[in-house]
């Protein structure tokens, strides 16, 4: 019988207390001993034929007198450093100067990105005389082959692919002699062959280097394809570094067995663990897997014979408190619903589940139960917050036997307005709305808002309004460390963080407060994940831990999802998702976004209209997300001075406050209706930078519904199509989708792309007085970009800087001017097209996304899917023609684009419905009122490699180039195309068949007008 006492014994009974060295896989009697002291050493004994440590044996060591115990392999007199034996990183961090995971995976740890330590400095047990060797595949510790005289001073580093946003991709770095380490031996990596037949490593996870080589940390080296290095340790046993302290003999410590950690057996790429490679395991070693499987019996006849049979009646009025040993056996399914209202009470017309005027509080302990469940009314005691468990085990020697039955909570988790801080659903069940909910997380109090000096964007107070507080960092991590799920603030109202969840709007409305909507510009009402993006995508660093994508989620109405600054519903990797009977409207980007979704049904849904009164431009989104960094910049370097060319000197603090003031103007204008004098220069600057003049989406794409492949739908159509299948969409209406993209340019100086801290573009066109005469161009700037230059100058942390890259020529232009003496740097930043020098790329938006225009429904990659009774109407694109400053180009080269699909300038397109790389049936599709002012307009567009069956497609009123006259339209040259209108646009490499009849029986259209007209481009 497993008991609490036996669990305690199994925790410590793996210690035999014997000095005998026990071979691997010897059968132990785990239950014969109690806690006691044992001897372990500070490192492996370097003495040949050691009597302390067997070669290739696994032991506990204590490398530092005041540090933790870890497990290590003794090999050839060296101690092998293997963090995979502490996979949960419980002990190892205390032996490192710092640590972080690699950027893309948890299979590597390395120095914190701001730590410039050498390997010797990183591994705290080492001294200046410590010798180092490497163990390829963590097999045996071996000398280097006299590589650069490293011999006994060789360790493993990684090149930048594991910790930089971009890394070296320009060929054979060794042949090109890129730096002193580019020819070093790589034991684990990617190997290629150059044109001369020479093999070289292109990425390397285990590069042999000197233990005294620095961690490269120049501010710009995390971006733009530099070849840089930092110390690394593998968590998958494919490479290990070994060490030997030559200036001291191993010290012996007397350690209590309770201090010995559990050892993990991480599987290598070939599924082998440490046990497949060692010849010997010390008897003290406790493996986590074995520990979890162990159970001890207690020979207690009295407890074994003490049987209790449990039924539903035992759980009517509160927690079942087990205070007596024995076995507790279920006799039926049990559903917990303590002190619930009676059926008569629930059916009463004035029933209030949260009533405070009655004789009792529903679902709480009653006053008569205070002796049994103390604390609710005294505010001190175990039950001071109500019932906290269904069963509490309050004694030793207990068995709970479900006996084949089910035990769970009643599915009435009532959501109340008072619960909203962010709801992270971490327990299965049904979550039912009982009233309209308006989200306004961590808002200022009414008293604060009414204060005469109230600043909604203040960076000098105790907290940042509408952001997680420092006290909430455990629950909402990332804001102040710039790495974590909440590193850009609250990203959702509800996050679904477990399987088997129902969210029932129950007839109510759920949306953002107008103030919160303005101040948190990146937000979904419901996010089916623990992070807004895949960990390695998006504008921030989301962290590689606590990743979860739920299965079996239902979101149902009746009800309305209203105002939101990004999505109504968003999901990555959702499986068995059912969304139905909802109205979704007043979203800024998309009603529903589902990436890499499988077995997802969307039915009886109305999506639209999109918000057409969006108050701000994309730069306000960046500025709000930048507020925590602005606070740090002001705090750390506020007294530093900056002199932009042609301006008076100012402090960093003055610059930061100017940005706050301009953002406050936007807030007061939108929220409070405050008007400013049109001659006010600060208001003019704030309006130009932040205020949306039309209210339409200024980003590259607007969607009603987006079904995408794996990854964010910010790249070109048809480039992320994997892992999406079995989508069912029926009885869906999408309408009122609007886009008026403001085109930006991806600027590249040489091979280096300019980026802001949030992967945003540097908007040089908007930052200068004019760009036609590039010799006389002057930097005007704006508060956001000025602050980016200040951060580039003073902030060195890679976490803070994130994706920031400002070329020295750009710095020279801003601070030293565009003068002859300075070499006219703006000509290099913004070369004329006729010079043949590429600017970088036109056709993007402020976030460096690939523009796609206005799209009612986009389906990327959905295999074996069914679409029936789909109605899309009123899709409009008012964007201007594409800029000509890049010269003629075939299509954008910004992120990932397929030139066959993204041909020419794509920001002016309007699509009713777009599909690509799909298979399945599309029946009863009705699309009408699709218009583009300056570009193409299509009803149904079927791009590449689609295999679909069509039935009953009706297209009406598709109009392209409505703001152009015939002469202007016919004279357009790349990147702008003659506006084409098409009812059903079917591209090459696609097979379309019809459920019944032929195309003439299934495709009907009327009023399709453009300067080129294709009704069915291919059948």
């Amino acid at each position: 019988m497993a008991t609490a006492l036996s669990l305690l014994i199994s925790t410590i009974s793996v210690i035999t207390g014997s000095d005998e060295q026990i071979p691997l896989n010897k059968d132990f009697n785990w239950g014969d001993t109690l806690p006691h002291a044992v001897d372990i050493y500070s490192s492996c004994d370097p003495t040949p034929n050691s009597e302390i440590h067997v070669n290739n044996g696994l032991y506990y060591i204590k490398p530092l007198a005041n540090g933790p115990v870890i497990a290590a392999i003794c090999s050839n007199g060296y101690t092998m450093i293997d963090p995979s034996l502490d996979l949960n990183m419980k002990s190892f961090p205390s032996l490192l100067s710092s640590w972080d995971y690699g950027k893309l995976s948890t299979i590597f740890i390395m120095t914190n990105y701001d730590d410039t330590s050498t390997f010797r400095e990183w591994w705290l047990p080492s001294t200046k005389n410590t010798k180092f060797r490497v163990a390829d595949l963590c097999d045996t510790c071996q000398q280097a082959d006299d590589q650069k005289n490293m011999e006994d001073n060789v360790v493993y580093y990684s090149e930048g692919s594991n910790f930089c946003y971009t890394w070296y991709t320009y060929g054979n770095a060794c042949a090109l002699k890129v730096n002193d380490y580019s020819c070093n031996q790589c034991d684990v990596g990617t190997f290629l062959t150059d044109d001369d037949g020479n093999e070289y490593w292109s990425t390397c996870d285990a590069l042999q280097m000197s233990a005294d080589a620095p961690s490269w940390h120049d501010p710009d080296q995390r971006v733009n394809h530099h070849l840089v290095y930092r110390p690394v340790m593998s968590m998958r046993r494919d490479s290990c570094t070994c060490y030997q302290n030559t200036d001291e003999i191993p010290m012996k410590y007397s350690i209590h067995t309770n201090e010995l950690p559990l050892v993990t057996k991480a599987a290598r790429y070939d599924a082998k663990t440490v046990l497949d490679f060692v010849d010997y395991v010390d008897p003290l070693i406790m493996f986590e897997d074995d520990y979890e499987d162990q159970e001890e019996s207690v020979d207690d006849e009295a407890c074994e014979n003490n049987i209790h049979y449990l039924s539903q009646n035992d759980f009517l009025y509160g927690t079942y408190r087990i205070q007596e040993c024995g076995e507790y056996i279920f006799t039926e399914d049990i559903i917990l619903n303590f002190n619930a209202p009676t059926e008569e009470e629930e059916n009463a017309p004035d029933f209030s589940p949260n009533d405070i005027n009655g004789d009792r509080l529903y679902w709480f302990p009653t006053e008569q139960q205070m002796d049994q469940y103390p604390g609710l009314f005294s505010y001190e005691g175990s039950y001071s917050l109500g019932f906290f468990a269904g069963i509490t085990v309050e004694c030793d020697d207990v068995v709970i036997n479900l006996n084949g039955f089910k035990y769970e909570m009643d599915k009435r988790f009532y959501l109340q307005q008072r619960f909203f801080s962010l709801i992270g659903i971490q327990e299965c069940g049904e979550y039912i709305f009982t009233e309209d909910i308006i989200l306004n997380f961590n808002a200022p109090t009414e008293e604060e808002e009414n204060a005469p000096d109230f600043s909604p964007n203040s960076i000098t107070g105790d907290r940042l309004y509408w952001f997680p507080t420092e006290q909430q960092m455990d629950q909402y991590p990332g804001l102040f460390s710039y790495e974590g799920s909440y590193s850009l603030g609250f990203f959702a109202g509800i996050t679904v963080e477990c399987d088997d969840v129902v969210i029932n709007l129950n007839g109510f409305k759920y949306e953002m407060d107008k103030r919160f909507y303005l101040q948190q510009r990146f937000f979904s009402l419901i996010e089916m994940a623990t992070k807004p993006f895949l960990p390695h995508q998006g504008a921030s660093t989301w962290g590689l831990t606590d990743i979860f994508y739920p299965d079996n989620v239902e979101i149902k109405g009746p009800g309305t999802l209203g105002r939101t600054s990004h999505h109504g519903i968003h999901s990555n990797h959702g499986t068995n998702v059912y969304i139905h009977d909802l109205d979704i409207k007043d979203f800024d980007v998309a009603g529903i976004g589902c990436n890499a979704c499988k077995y997802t049904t969307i039915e009886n849904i109305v999506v639209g209209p999109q918000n057409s009164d969006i108050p701000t431009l994309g730069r306000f989104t960046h500025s709000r997300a930048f507020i925590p960094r602005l606070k740090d910049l002001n705090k750390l370097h506020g007294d530093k001075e900056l002199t932009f060319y042609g301006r008076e000197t100012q402090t960093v603090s003055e610059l930061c406050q100017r940005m706050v003031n301009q953002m406050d103007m936007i807030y007061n204008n939108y929220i409070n209706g405050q008007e400013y004098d049109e001659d006010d220069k600060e208001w003019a600057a704030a309006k130009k930078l932040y205020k949306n003049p039309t209210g339409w989406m200024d980003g590259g794409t607007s969607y009603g519904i987006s079904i995408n492949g794996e990854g964010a739908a910010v790249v070109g159509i048809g480039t992320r199509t994997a892992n999406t299948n079995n989508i069912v969409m029926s009885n869906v209406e999408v309408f009122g989708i609007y886009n008026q993209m403001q085109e930006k340019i991806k600027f590249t100086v040489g091979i280096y792309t300019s980026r802001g801290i949030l992967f945003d573009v540097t908007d040089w066109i908007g930052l200068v007085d004019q760009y036609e005469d590039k010799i006389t161009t002057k930097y005007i700037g704006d508060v956001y970009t000025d602050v980016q230059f200040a951060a580039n100058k003073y902030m060195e942390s890679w976490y803070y800087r994130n994706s920031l890259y400002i070329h020295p020529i750009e710095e020279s232009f801003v601070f030293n001017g565009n003068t002859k003496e300075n070499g006219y740097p703006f000509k290099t930043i913004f070369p004329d097209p006729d010079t043949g020098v590429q600017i970088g790329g036109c056709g993007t938006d402020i976030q460096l996304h690939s523009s796609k225009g206005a799209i009612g429904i986009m389906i990327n990659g959905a295999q074996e899917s069914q679409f029936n009774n789909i109605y899309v109407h009123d899709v409009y694109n008012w964007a201007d023609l594409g800029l000509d400053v890049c010269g003629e180009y075939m299509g954008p080269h910004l992120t990932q684009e397929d030139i066959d699909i993204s041909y020419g300038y794509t920001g002016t397109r309007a699509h009713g419905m777009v599909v690509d790389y799909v298979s399945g049936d599309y029946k009863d599709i009705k699309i009408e009122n699709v218009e583009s002012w300056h570009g193409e307009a299509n009803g149904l567009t079927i791009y590449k490699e689609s295999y679909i069956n069509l039935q009953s497609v009706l297209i009406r009123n598709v109009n392209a180039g409505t703001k152009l006259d015939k002469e202007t339209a016919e004279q357009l040259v790349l990147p702008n195309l003659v506006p084409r209108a098409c009812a059903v646009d079917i591209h090459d490499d696609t097979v379309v068949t019809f459920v019944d009849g032929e195309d003439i029986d299934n495709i009907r259209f009327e009023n399709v007008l453009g300067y080129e007209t294709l009704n069915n481009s291919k059948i």
Side-chain angles (χ1 to χ4, degrees):
M1 176 169 62
T3 67
L5 177 59
S6 66
L7 181 61
L8 175 61
I9 292 175
S10 68
T11 301
I12 53 95
S13 63
V14 292
I15 310 303
T16 68
S18 169
D19 290 333
E20 177 189 2
Q21 293 180 330
I22 302 177
L24 187 62
N25 298 325
K26 180 166 181 177
D27 188 19
F28 296 105
N29 180 359
W30 296 102
D32 292 342
T33 61
L34 292 173
H36 61 286
V38 295
D39 291 339
I40 64 173
Y41 291 82
S42 59
S43 64
C44 294
D45 186 3
T47 307
N49 302 316
S50 169
E51 296 182 359
I52 300 174
H53 298 127
V54 171
N55 192 42
N56 204 31
L58 179 63
Y59 295 88
Y60 284 120
I61 63 169
K62 184 178 172 64
L64 296 175
N66 296 319
V69 175
I70 63 169
I73 296 172
C74 295
S75 174
N76 296 332
Y78 278 69
T79 303
M80 190 181 298
I81 306 168
D82 185 358
S84 77
L85 302 176
D86 181 26
L87 202 58
N88 300 315
M89 294 298 286
K90 294 179 180 178
S91 300
F92 251 77
S94 298
L95 302 174
L96 303 171
S97 63
S98 67
W99 77 282
D100 202 341
Y101 289 114
K103 182 180 182 295
L104 301 178
S105 171
T106 58
I107 62 177
F108 303 104
I109 62 170
M110 52 194 58
T111 49
N112 173 295
Y113 298 158
D114 292 333
D115 185 349
T116 59
S117 295
T118 66
F119 194 103
R120 186 183 303 276
E121 294 165 338
W122 184 36
W123 180 243
L124 298 180
S126 63
T127 70
K128 64 179 182 179
N129 297 316
T130 299
K131 293 182 178 180
F132 291 94
R133 293 182 177 182
V134 292
D136 187 16
L137 300 179
C138 296
D139 188 2
T140 59
C141 301
Q142 301 287 347
Q143 277 186 321
D145 297 329
D146 196 26
Q147 188 181 79
K148 298 185 178 179
N149 299 313
M150 287 191 291
E151 293 184 330
D152 286 329
N153 193 38
V154 61
V155 298
Y156 282 131
Y157 279 54
S158 168
E159 51 71 47
S161 62
N162 286 314
F163 57 90
C164 291
Y165 282 115
T166 58
W167 49 92
Y168 185 82
T169 56
Y170 301 116
N172 188 337
C174 178
L176 295 172
K177 299 180 181 179
V178 172
N179 55 44
D180 290 342
Y181 308 102
S182 56
C183 291
N184 282 27
Q185 179 175 324
C186 177
D187 289 341
V188 180
T190 303
F191 298 88
L192 301 175
T193 302
D194 64 19
D195 294 339
D196 297 325
N198 300 312
E199 186 180 70
Y200 66 96
W201 53 262
S202 61
T203 64
C204 186
D205 304 331
L207 187 68
Q208 292 191 16
M209 290 181 62
S210 164
D212 301 300
S215 293
W216 292 29
H217 188 266
D218 285 350
D220 297 332
Q221 289 181 334
R222 200 182 183 195
V223 294
N224 284 323
H225 305 283
H226 294 278
L227 184 57
V228 295
Y229 316 90
R230 64 179 47 241
V232 68
M233 295 181 188
S234 171
M235 303 293 280
R236 63 181 177 184
R237 303 210 79 248
D238 56 2
S239 57
C240 289
T241 295
C242 311
Y243 78 104
Q244 181 187 92
N245 284 334
T246 59
D247 50 1
E248 60 183 40
I249 61 173
M251 297 184 62
K252 184 167 67 174
Y253 297 99
S254 180
I255 301 297
H256 196 279
T257 52
N258 284 338
E259 296 182 51
L260 301 179
L262 297 176
V263 179
T264 52
K265 294 183 286 189
R268 210 171 62 174
Y269 64 90
D270 56 6
K272 293 182 178 180
T273 72
V274 64
L275 295 181
D276 295 302
F277 294 92
V278 296
D279 299 324
Y280 173 87
V281 176
D282 186 86
L284 298 178
I285 293 291
M286 299 182 293
F287 286 109
E288 186 176 76
D289 295 344
D290 298 336
Y291 166 78
E292 291 173 351
D293 294 339
Q294 292 166 23
E295 292 186 350
E296 278 299 321
S297 296
V298 173
D299 186 16
D300 188 335
E301 184 176 349
C303 286
E304 288 181 353
N305 294 329
N306 194 10
I307 307 297
H308 304 261
Y309 295 97
L310 303 181
S311 68
Q312 184 72 58
N313 289 336
D314 293 305
F315 293 87
L316 294 179
Y317 305 110
T319 301
Y320 190 92
R321 299 179 61 183
I322 296 178
Q323 298 173 317
E324 182 180 347
C325 70
E327 184 170 6
Y328 292 74
I329 304 174
F330 281 57
T331 61
E332 60 181 335
D333 290 343
I334 291 176
I335 300 177
L336 305 178
N337 199 19
F338 300 157
N339 285 345
T342 65
E343 186 174 350
E344 180 182 359
E345 289 172 321
E346 285 193 271
N347 291 333
D350 60 348
F351 171 64
S352 169
N354 299 289
D355 181 50
I356 59 172
N357 298 313
D359 295 332
R360 64 192 180 100
L361 303 176
Y362 300 126
W363 293 285
F364 282 104
T366 66
E367 291 190 27
Q368 292 74 28
Q369 292 178 307
M370 285 300 96
D371 288 342
Q372 186 177 8
Y373 307 121
L376 188 70
F377 299 102
S378 63
Y379 313 120
E380 182 178 28
S382 299
Y383 295 83
S384 55
L385 296 183
F387 295 111
F388 64 87
I391 295 174
T392 57
V393 180
E394 304 178 21
C395 63
D396 296 333
D397 306 327
V398 170
V399 172
I400 298 174
N401 182 353
L402 267 68
N403 196 30
F405 294 105
K406 189 174 184 180
Y407 172 49
E408 62 181 346
M409 295 182 74
D410 182 275
K411 289 187 176 180
R412 284 177 288 179
F413 293 103
Y414 283 88
L415 292 181
Q416 297 297 331
Q417 179 74 56
R418 64 188 177 89
F419 289 148
F420 271 92
S421 181
L422 182 146
I423 289 288
I425 294 178
Q426 298 175 326
E427 185 175 349
C428 67
E430 183 170 359
Y431 294 75
I432 306 174
F433 282 61
T434 62
E435 61 183 334
D436 291 342
I437 290 176
I438 300 176
L439 305 176
N440 199 18
F441 300 159
N442 286 349
T445 65
E446 186 175 350
E447 181 182 359
E448 288 173 321
E449 286 193 270
N450 291 332
D453 59 348
F454 171 63
S455 169
N457 299 288
S458 172
I459 58 173
T460 57
D462 294 333
R463 62 191 180 103
L464 303 175
Y465 298 127
W466 293 283
F467 284 106
T469 66
E470 293 191 26
Q471 293 74 29
Q472 293 177 307
M473 285 300 98
D474 288 342
Q475 187 176 7
Y476 308 123
L479 189 71
F480 300 103
S481 62
Y482 313 121
E483 181 180 42
S485 300
Y486 296 84
S487 52
L488 295 187
F490 294 110
F491 63 87
I494 295 174
T495 56
V496 182
E497 304 179 18
C498 64
D499 298 331
D500 306 314
V501 168
V502 176
I503 298 174
N504 183 351
L505 264 72
N506 196 30
F508 295 102
K509 188 174 185 180
Y510 171 45
E511 64 181 343
M512 299 177 79
D513 180 90
K514 187 178 181 180
R515 292 162 296 174
F516 188 41
Y517 162 78
L518 175 68
Q519 297 294 81
Q520 182 57 38
R521 303 300 302 147
F522 181 76
F523 194 84
S524 297
L525 293 175
I526 299 173
E527 178 72 49
M528 286 182 270
T530 53
K531 300 177 187 295
F533 283 86
L534 300 183
H536 55 281
Q537 294 182 356
S540 187
T541 303
W542 312 110
L544 295 173
T545 57
D546 300 320
I547 299 169
F548 186 83
Y549 307 110
D551 297 341
N552 310 322
V553 177
E554 180 180 1
I555 303 172
K556 66 180 182 178
T560 300
L561 297 179
R563 184 193 296 119
T564 174
S565 57
H566 245 67
H567 295 86
I569 299 171
H570 186 260
S571 174
N572 283 303
H573 290 284
T575 303
N576 293 328
V577 175
Y578 184 26
I579 303 171
H580 61 100
D581 297 293
L582 290 170
D583 290 324
I584 306 174
K585 63 182 183 179
D586 298 331
F587 48 87
D588 283 11
V589 177
I592 299 174
C594 200
N595 303 325
C597 290
K598 305 179 184 69
Y599 298 96
T600 293
T601 297
I602 300 172
E603 63 183 8
N604 304 325
I605 295 286
V606 177
V607 176
Q610 179 184 7
N611 189 357
S612 60
D613 188 25
I614 300 171
T616 59
L617 300 171
R619 201 53 107 193
F620 192 83
T621 303
H622 299 144
S623 295
R624 271 299 295 174
F626 197 81
I627 284 289
R629 286 179 165 89
L630 194 69
K631 182 181 177 73
D632 261 5
L633 179 63
N634 183 65
K635 179 180 177 180
L636 298 174
H637 301 287
D639 59 347
K640 303 288 196 329
E641 292 185 338
L642 290 167
T643 305
F644 292 93
Y645 186 78
R647 297 194 219 161
E648 293 183 0
T649 298
Q650 61 186 322
T651 66
V652 169
S653 180
E654 289 170 337
L655 177 58
C656 292
Q657 190 56 49
R658 183 172 178 238
M659 180 168 159
V660 168
N661 292 342
Q662 290 190 14
M663 294 174 70
D664 285 355
M665 284 179 153
I666 295 297
Y667 179 95
N668 290 324
N669 178 253
Y670 177 66
I671 299 299
N672 301 321
Q674 183 173 339
E675 297 294 336
Y676 295 91
D677 191 328
E678 291 300 320
D679 294 330
D680 185 330
K681 292 183 179 180
E682 288 304 297
W683 173 235
K687 280 201 307 180
K688 177 186 176 184
L689 181 61
Y690 292 137
K691 188 174 172 62
N692 189 339
T694 68
W696 283 31
M697 167 54 64
D698 67 305
T701 314
S702 299
Y703 314 90
I705 298 176
S706 169
I707 305 296
N708 193 52
E710 186 157 2
V714 300
V715 296
I717 295 173
T719 57
R720 286 180 177 165
T721 60
N723 298 322
T724 298
N725 57 65
N726 290 280
I727 308 297
V728 175
M729 194 180 295
S730 64
N731 301 324
V732 170
E733 179 182 1
V734 174
F735 74 99
I737 306 303
Y738 318 112
N739 191 268
Q740 193 171 11
M741 171 189 173
Q742 292 195 10
E743 184 183 4
K744 305 299 178 183
I745 298 174
K746 172 186 175 181
F747 283 94
T748 299
V749 181
I751 61 174
Y752 303 117
T753 297
S754 298
R755 294 189 187 91
I757 282 176
L758 301 174
F759 277 91
D760 48 303
V761 302
T762 304
D763 183 19
W764 282 117
I765 286 180
L767 295 170
V768 297
D769 59 343
Q770 54 80 31
Y771 58 88
E772 287 79 12
D773 181 5
K774 296 182 174 61
I775 289 179
T776 62
T777 298
K778 296 178 181 178
Y779 176 71
I780 303 300
D782 57 46
V783 288
Y784 178 81
T785 307
D786 287 355
V787 164
Q788 298 277 305
F789 275 94
N792 185 64
K793 194 175 187 69
Y794 293 117
M795 300 299 292
E796 295 186 351
S797 166
W798 277 16
Y799 296 95
Y800 184 105
R801 296 175 68 89
N802 198 38
S803 57
L804 179 65
Y805 181 77
I806 293 175
H807 196 281
I809 290 176
E810 294 173 307
E811 268 200 313
S812 180
F813 169 61
V814 165
F815 291 112
N816 301 323
N818 190 38
T819 64
K820 179 179 180 180
E821 294 75 17
N822 201 28
Y824 300 120
F826 193 70
K827 293 180 64 176
T828 302
I829 295 169
F830 201 154
D832 288 317
D834 55 12
T835 64
V837 179
Q838 293 295 316
I839 291 176
C842 285
T844 189
D845 62 13
I846 198 73
Q847 191 54 58
L848 205 58
H849 288 170
S850 186
S851 58
K852 298 179 278 292
I855 301 176
I857 299 176
M858 181 178 74
I859 312 295
N860 275 335
Q863 300 295 306
E864 302 177 46
S865 297
Q866 306 292 319
F867 295 81
N868 183 50
N869 193 18
I870 308 298
Y871 181 30
V872 179
H873 60 100
D874 297 294
V875 178
Y876 301 106
N877 191 323
W878 289 1
D880 291 331
L881 288 167
L883 297 169
D884 60 4
V885 296
C886 292
E888 293 188 17
Y889 62 91
M890 302 288 286
H893 298 280
L894 303 166
T895 52
Q896 300 173 37
E897 290 87 19
D898 182 337
I899 198 66
D900 294 336
I901 295 174
S902 300
Y903 182 74
Y905 179 61
T906 56
T908 52
R909 293 181 179 180
H911 297 276
M913 188 172 183
V914 172
V915 303
D916 62 272
Y917 293 88
V918 301
S919 66
D921 297 337
Y922 291 71
K923 302 177 181 179
D924 295 319
I925 309 296
K926 182 180 178 181
I927 299 171
E928 55 188 8
N929 303 334
V930 179
E931 179 184 10
S932 172
W933 278 8
H934 297 101
E936 73 174 57
N938 299 317
L940 172 62
T941 307
I942 306 171
Y943 283 122
K944 299 170 70 173
E945 295 191 31
S946 295
Y947 303 88
I948 64 175
N949 303 311
L950 290 181
Q951 183 180 62
S952 185
V953 178
L954 174 61
I955 311 294
R956 291 180 178 148
N957 304 329
V958 177
N959 295 280
T962 57
K963 290 295 181 179
L964 297 173
D965 58 45
K966 182 178 180 181
E967 181 181 0
T968 303
E970 291 178 348
Q971 291 178 355
L972 291 175
V973 296
L974 285 171
N976 295 298
L977 305 175
V978 175
R980 184 186 68 170
C982 191
V984 180
D985 186 5
I986 304 174
H987 286 238
D988 294 333
D989 301 320
T990 284
V991 176
V992 175
T993 59
F994 298 94
V995 177
D996 294 306
E998 300 298 327
D999 58 344
I1000 196 170
D1001 305 309
N1002 287 278
I1003 299 178
R1004 295 174 295 149
F1005 56 90
E1006 60 184 57
N1007 193 29
V1008 178
L1009 302 173
Y1011 293 98
E1012 289 182 0
T1013 302
L1014 297 174
N1015 294 323
N1016 303 337
S1017 64
K1018 171 191 165 189
I1019 295 292

